Amino acid sequence: IMTCEIINIGDELLIGQVVNTNASWMAEQLNLIGVNVQQVTVVSDSADAIENAVKRALLTHDVVLLSGGLGPTKDDITKTTLAQMFNADMVIHEPTMQRNRLFFEGRNLPFTDINRKQAEAPNNCIVLDNLCGTAPGMWFDINGKIVVSLAGVPYEMKQLLQNEVLPRLQQRNETVILHKTVMTTGMGESFVAQRLETWEVALPAHIRLAYLPSPGYLRLRLSAFGNDKTLLQSELDRELSVLQSLIPDLIFGYDNQLIEEVVLQMLLQRQQTVSTAESCTGGAIAQCLTSLSGSSKVFKGSIVAYSNDVKQQILGVKADTLQTYGAVSEQTVIEMAQAVRQLLHTDYGIATSGIAGPTGGTPDKPIGMVWIAVASAQRTIAQQFQFADNRQRNIVRTTVAALNFLRTEIHN
C-alpha cells in the first residue's frame, strides 16, 4: 500500500485565521486512487519547520504532499527550502515564465522581478503546470520516494492535484482502496459497537470498520484494501449486506447522506407534504428542509411556537393541557403536530418541545428532555428523548431525531 503524509504550510492555519480545508479534500482524493493517507501535519512558514517535517515524513511514508508557501512574498519559502534540502539550483522554467508574462500583460499589469521569480524552480524537480495561478507545482523523486509541493490557494491546489499529481501517482500505485459509509441514527456509538461486535471481530484483516460519531448521527465506514478491485468490491458488498442485516432499524442512508435529504426524496416520490411546529428547535427542522433544492414541492411552512402564548393562540393548544402537563409533554406536542398539519393543510405535521439547556431543567423534566410528535391523517405518534446538557447539540440532535421519526412514519 502506498502511504502518504500531507503537510500543510502556513502560520494562518496554526493561529486559526484560515480553516485547513485543503487537508480533508486532498486526503479524500488520494484515497480514491488507493493512496493511504496516514498523517496530516500543519507547520509554520519557517525553513526549519518545513525541513524537519519533510525529513520526518520521508522516514515512514512513500509520498509527502505539501501545500502552501509558494507565493511571491518573503514569507513564502517552501520552494527555496526544498531546493536547499535536495541540493538543487534554482533555474527559470521558461513555459511558466511565458505563461506568467502573458497573465500580467493580459491584465495591463507590470511584470515585475517578483513575478519573474515565480517562474523559478529547483533544477532537479519536475515542474507541474499551474493553469490557475503563477506558482508552479514541484515533483521530486528522492531515492524512490516522492515529494510534491503545491500552491496553498485551494482552487490552484485542486487543479494541480487533479491534473498533475493524481495521474502520476496512479501509474505507480497498484493498491485499491474502497470505502462505503453507512449512515445511522438513533443509537450511540458504544451500543452500536455492542450489536456489531461479533461481526466486526470476524472481519477479514483487509477490511476495517470505523465509527464516526457526530451530533445526531453515527457514520459507519467500511474500508477495504487490496489489488483486485472486482474481488474487493464483491467482498465489501458481502460485508455491507451483513451489516445491513444487523442494524436495519438504525440505517437511513449511505455515503454521507443527511436525514433531510432522505426525507425530502421520500416525500417527493410519494407527492406528500409536511409542516412543522417547533419550540425547542426554533425553526431548525424547517431550515434543514428548505436548504435543499426541491423542498418547495413538499414543505409548506413552519410555526415557531416558542412561547406558550403562541402555542395557544396560533396552534390552539388547550390551556388545560399546558397547565396540567406542561409545554414539554406528550400531550402538548401531539396537539401541536395535529394543529400545524391542519392549519397548513399538509400530509404530515412535526412538533418539538423540550428543554435545550443549559438551564431550565427540573427533577421531573431534566435538561435535554425532548418530546417529538408526528401527525398524519391516519394517526399521531409521540416519543420522548433524553439528550445531554449542551444547548446547540441538543437542537441538532432533536432536529435529526424529528426528521428520522418522520422518515420511519412515512416508511410505515
Side-chain angles (χ1 to χ4, degrees), residues 112-129:
T112 66
D113 288 340
I114 291 178
N115 303 138
R116 289 185 181 89
K117 289 188 72 67
Q118 285 286 82
E120 291 183 350
N123 62 356
N124 61 351
C125 77
I126 297 173
V127 176
L128 308 177
D129 290 336

mmCIF file of all heavy atoms in Angstrom, residues 112-129:
data_model
loop_
_atom_site.group_PDB
_atom_site.id
_atom_site.type_symbol
_atom_site.label_atom_id
_atom_site.label_comp_id
_atom_site.label_asym_id
_atom_site.label_seq_id
_atom_site.Cartn_x
_atom_site.Cartn_y
_atom_site.Cartn_z
ATOM 1 N N THR A 112 6.859 42.191 -12.903
ATOM 2 C CA THR A 112 7.946 42.630 -12.036
ATOM 3 C C THR A 112 8.942 41.501 -11.772
ATOM 4 O O THR A 112 8.721 40.338 -12.130
ATOM 5 C CB THR A 112 7.376 43.115 -10.691
ATOM 6 O OG1 THR A 112 6.788 41.990 -10.010
ATOM 7 C CG2 THR A 112 6.313 44.185 -10.905
ATOM 8 N N ASP A 113 10.051 41.867 -11.102
ATOM 9 C CA ASP A 113 11.053 40.865 -10.727
ATOM 10 C C ASP A 113 10.447 39.811 -9.797
ATOM 11 O O ASP A 113 10.805 38.627 -9.869
ATOM 12 C CB ASP A 113 12.244 41.543 -10.042
ATOM 13 C CG ASP A 113 13.088 42.344 -11.026
ATOM 14 O OD1 ASP A 113 12.986 42.062 -12.234
ATOM 15 O OD2 ASP A 113 13.827 43.235 -10.583
ATOM 16 N N ILE A 114 9.560 40.234 -8.922
ATOM 17 C CA ILE A 114 8.888 39.278 -8.022
ATOM 18 C C ILE A 114 8.089 38.269 -8.832
ATOM 19 O O ILE A 114 8.095 37.064 -8.554
ATOM 20 C CB ILE A 114 7.980 40.018 -7.013
ATOM 21 C CG1 ILE A 114 8.827 40.813 -6.011
ATOM 22 C CG2 ILE A 114 7.073 39.031 -6.273
ATOM 23 C CD1 ILE A 114 8.007 41.605 -5.016
ATOM 24 N N ASN A 115 7.421 38.756 -9.863
ATOM 25 C CA ASN A 115 6.638 37.855 -10.708
ATOM 26 C C ASN A 115 7.538 36.892 -11.480
ATOM 27 O O ASN A 115 7.184 35.728 -11.696
ATOM 28 C CB ASN A 115 5.788 38.655 -11.693
ATOM 29 C CG ASN A 115 4.847 39.646 -11.014
ATOM 30 O OD1 ASN A 115 4.700 40.777 -11.471
ATOM 31 N ND2 ASN A 115 4.223 39.241 -9.920
ATOM 32 N N ARG A 116 8.702 37.379 -11.903
ATOM 33 C CA ARG A 116 9.647 36.516 -12.623
ATOM 34 C C ARG A 116 10.135 35.380 -11.729
ATOM 35 O O ARG A 116 10.323 34.247 -12.186
ATOM 36 C CB ARG A 116 10.828 37.336 -13.128
ATOM 37 C CG ARG A 116 10.498 38.277 -14.280
ATOM 38 C CD ARG A 116 11.744 38.966 -14.814
ATOM 39 N NE ARG A 116 11.409 39.884 -15.903
ATOM 40 C CZ ARG A 116 11.087 41.159 -15.716
ATOM 41 N NH1 ARG A 116 11.076 41.665 -14.479
ATOM 42 N NH2 ARG A 116 10.798 41.924 -16.748
ATOM 43 N N LYS A 117 10.355 35.702 -10.450
ATOM 44 C CA LYS A 117 10.858 34.675 -9.519
ATOM 45 C C LYS A 117 9.849 33.551 -9.329
ATOM 46 O O LYS A 117 10.217 32.437 -8.968
ATOM 47 C CB LYS A 117 11.217 35.307 -8.170
ATOM 48 C CG LYS A 117 12.471 36.177 -8.209
ATOM 49 C CD LYS A 117 12.881 36.617 -6.829
ATOM 50 C CE LYS A 117 13.456 35.464 -6.006
ATOM 51 N NZ LYS A 117 14.731 34.975 -6.546
ATOM 52 N N GLN A 118 8.575 33.846 -9.588
ATOM 53 C CA GLN A 118 7.563 32.792 -9.500
ATOM 54 C C GLN A 118 7.825 31.684 -10.509
ATOM 55 O O GLN A 118 7.382 30.547 -10.321
ATOM 56 C CB GLN A 118 6.160 33.365 -9.733
ATOM 57 C CG GLN A 118 5.597 34.143 -8.565
ATOM 58 C CD GLN A 118 5.160 33.236 -7.439
ATOM 59 O OE1 GLN A 118 5.991 32.805 -6.632
ATOM 60 N NE2 GLN A 118 3.887 32.923 -7.365
ATOM 61 N N ALA A 119 8.526 32.011 -11.585
ATOM 62 C CA ALA A 119 8.815 31.021 -12.632
ATOM 63 C C ALA A 119 10.072 30.211 -12.332
ATOM 64 O O ALA A 119 10.427 29.326 -13.116
ATOM 65 C CB ALA A 119 8.950 31.721 -13.978
ATOM 66 N N GLU A 120 10.743 30.507 -11.210
ATOM 67 C CA GLU A 120 11.922 29.715 -10.854
ATOM 68 C C GLU A 120 11.505 28.403 -10.201
ATOM 69 O O GLU A 120 10.488 28.320 -9.505
ATOM 70 C CB GLU A 120 12.813 30.494 -9.885
ATOM 71 C CG GLU A 120 13.509 31.698 -10.510
ATOM 72 C CD GLU A 120 14.440 32.379 -9.523
ATOM 73 O OE1 GLU A 120 14.394 32.042 -8.311
ATOM 74 O OE2 GLU A 120 15.206 33.261 -9.951
ATOM 75 N N ALA A 121 12.337 27.375 -10.425
ATOM 76 C CA ALA A 121 12.085 26.065 -9.806
ATOM 77 C C ALA A 121 13.417 25.356 -9.623
ATOM 78 O O ALA A 121 14.378 25.613 -10.359
ATOM 79 C CB ALA A 121 11.162 25.237 -10.696
ATOM 80 N N PRO A 122 13.522 24.447 -8.651
ATOM 81 C CA PRO A 122 14.748 23.659 -8.492
ATOM 82 C C PRO A 122 15.023 22.851 -9.754
ATOM 83 O O PRO A 122 14.104 22.341 -10.395
ATOM 84 C CB PRO A 122 14.419 22.752 -7.295
ATOM 85 C CG PRO A 122 13.348 23.475 -6.550
ATOM 86 C CD PRO A 122 12.541 24.167 -7.595
ATOM 87 N N ASN A 123 16.295 22.733 -10.094
ATOM 88 C CA ASN A 123 16.650 22.084 -11.360
ATOM 89 C C ASN A 123 16.548 20.562 -11.318
ATOM 90 O O ASN A 123 16.774 19.905 -12.330
ATOM 91 C CB ASN A 123 18.050 22.503 -11.816
ATOM 92 C CG ASN A 123 19.139 22.090 -10.827
ATOM 93 O OD1 ASN A 123 18.840 21.545 -9.757
ATOM 94 N ND2 ASN A 123 20.390 22.337 -11.170
ATOM 95 N N ASN A 124 16.226 19.983 -10.161
ATOM 96 C CA ASN A 124 16.094 18.525 -10.091
ATOM 97 C C ASN A 124 14.651 18.079 -9.855
ATOM 98 O O ASN A 124 14.411 16.963 -9.401
ATOM 99 C CB ASN A 124 17.008 17.949 -9.005
ATOM 100 C CG ASN A 124 16.668 18.485 -7.621
ATOM 101 O OD1 ASN A 124 15.857 19.411 -7.489
ATOM 102 N ND2 ASN A 124 17.291 17.920 -6.597
ATOM 103 N N CYS A 125 13.692 18.949 -10.142
ATOM 104 C CA CYS A 125 12.282 18.565 -9.965
ATOM 105 C C CYS A 125 11.576 18.574 -11.305
ATOM 106 O O CYS A 125 12.029 19.186 -12.272
ATOM 107 C CB CYS A 125 11.576 19.505 -8.987
ATOM 108 S SG CYS A 125 11.131 21.112 -9.687
ATOM 109 N N ILE A 126 10.431 17.886 -11.349
ATOM 110 C CA ILE A 126 9.510 18.009 -12.480
ATOM 111 C C ILE A 126 8.578 19.169 -12.157
ATOM 112 O O ILE A 126 7.939 19.191 -11.099
ATOM 113 C CB ILE A 126 8.710 16.715 -12.685
ATOM 114 C CG1 ILE A 126 9.629 15.551 -13.040
ATOM 115 C CG2 ILE A 126 7.650 16.905 -13.769
ATOM 116 C CD1 ILE A 126 8.920 14.211 -13.080
ATOM 117 N N VAL A 127 8.529 20.144 -13.038
ATOM 118 C CA VAL A 127 7.665 21.301 -12.815
ATOM 119 C C VAL A 127 6.239 20.946 -13.239
ATOM 120 O O VAL A 127 6.013 20.426 -14.336
ATOM 121 C CB VAL A 127 8.168 22.523 -13.604
ATOM 122 C CG1 VAL A 127 7.212 23.698 -13.436
ATOM 123 C CG2 VAL A 127 9.571 22.905 -13.140
ATOM 124 N N LEU A 128 5.303 21.213 -12.348
ATOM 125 C CA LEU A 128 3.898 20.899 -12.594
ATOM 126 C C LEU A 128 3.171 22.182 -12.980
ATOM 127 O O LEU A 128 3.189 23.164 -12.226
ATOM 128 C CB LEU A 128 3.262 20.280 -11.347
ATOM 129 C CG LEU A 128 4.004 19.085 -10.745
ATOM 130 C CD1 LEU A 128 3.306 18.623 -9.463
ATOM 131 C CD2 LEU A 128 4.091 17.944 -11.751
ATOM 132 N N ASP A 129 2.530 22.195 -14.128
ATOM 133 C CA ASP A 129 1.895 23.404 -14.650
ATOM 134 C C ASP A 129 0.704 23.826 -13.792
ATOM 135 O O ASP A 129 -0.229 23.045 -13.587
ATOM 136 C CB ASP A 129 1.421 23.180 -16.085
ATOM 137 C CG ASP A 129 2.586 23.057 -17.056
ATOM 138 O OD1 ASP A 129 3.670 23.582 -16.737
ATOM 139 O OD2 ASP A 129 2.415 22.427 -18.120
#
